[in-house]
Amino acid sequence: MIRHLRADPRLWWGAMVTSWFWLVGIIVLSLLPPMIKTLIGGNEDTVTAYLAIFTIAVGTGSGLAAAIARGRIVLRTTLVGAVLLGIFAIDLGAATLGTTPVASPQGPAAVFAEEIGIRVAADLCGLEVAGGLFIVPALSAVQAWSSVDYRARTIAAVNVLNAACMTGATVLVAIMQKFGATIPALFLLIGMLTLLVALAIWKTMPKSE
């Protein structure tokens, strides 16, 4: 299935782009609860509140991407999403760098009353809106570029590659944390890498319209 993807440069491009989205997504989801609890001092209700922001923002970004496309495939939206993903991830890392959590976990009201709580919420919201802008055009392009006879096989191959990237990212992050990588450092790293991905997207983007 992977060979089938690699045989078509456009499909391979789309598969790699969507895989980066899921790689970033799994890292953010795995780091979010410990970040809220250990760096911001939130309790379980606070984590739930941030996860709600996460979910709503992804849907908002996806809807915005669909509104921009209006039935077309506009890959420039993916490029914009990649740049914004990188910027918000870097700011999220910078916002939590060197923070000292409160002694006892606090609820959403107390956390959102603090500047750090609002900044993290804004960064998280921006990160996920950008994610919606990033993934929708790329995934639509993969489906549109797939021939009817091989569409199911193509989507399955993309899913295999996505799963491999998510698994690899999870293992790599665990190893890095074992050797001392902090949550802010990981967000800074994923942000910088995403900006490099945005540059690669810009240089290799197939024609979409």
Side-chain angles (χ1 to χ4, degrees):
M1 288 192 291
I2 298 299
R3 282 198 301 269
H4 168 70
L5 283 179
R6 291 186 64 86
D8 187 325
R10 295 190 307 173
L11 290 179
W12 182 247
W13 180 92
M16 294 300 292
V17 169
T18 58
S19 291
W20 186 257
F21 168 82
W22 291 111
L23 182 151
V24 172
I26 197 68
I27 293 175
V28 172
L29 275 175
S30 66
L31 296 179
L32 180 59
M35 179 184 71
I36 302 305
K37 291 180 179 179
T38 63
L39 299 183
I40 301 179
N43 58 18
E44 290 293 339
D45 290 338
T46 307
V47 173
T48 301
Y50 276 98
L51 288 174
I53 293 172
F54 184 98
T55 304
I56 293 169
V58 170
T60 301
S62 300
L64 182 58
I68 292 171
R70 285 182 286 183
R72 303 166 297 160
I73 295 176
V74 185
L75 294 180
R76 289 188 298 272
T77 308
T78 289
L79 177 59
V80 172
V83 173
L84 292 176
L85 266 174
I87 291 172
F88 282 114
I90 288 172
D91 192 68
L92 190 54
T96 53
L97 195 63
T99 55
T100 303
V102 297
S104 59
Q106 300 185 17
V111 170
F112 290 136
E114 300 291 334
E115 181 181 348
I116 183 65
I118 294 296
R119 184 174 174 183
V120 168
D123 281 335
L124 186 64
C125 184
L127 190 71
E128 298 316 311
V129 169
L133 293 173
F134 182 87
I135 188 61
V136 169
L139 190 56
S140 298
V142 169
Q143 294 172 345
W145 293 336
S146 305
S147 63
V148 175
D149 293 340
Y150 290 95
R151 184 163 295 155
R153 181 182 179 88
T154 298
I155 299 304
V158 171
N159 289 339
V160 168
L161 191 60
N162 293 168
C165 287
M166 286 190 289
T167 302
T170 302
V171 172
L172 182 59
V173 166
I175 293 172
M176 292 176 69
Q177 288 183 304
K178 181 178 177 63
F179 285 94
T182 63
I183 292 174
L186 289 170
F187 274 111
L188 289 170
L189 177 61
I190 200 68
M192 290 184 287
L193 290 176
T194 301
L195 290 180
L196 291 177
V197 168
L199 180 61
I201 288 173
W202 176 62
K203 288 186 174 181
T204 61
M205 185 187 303
K207 292 183 179 181
S208 60
E209 299 178 86

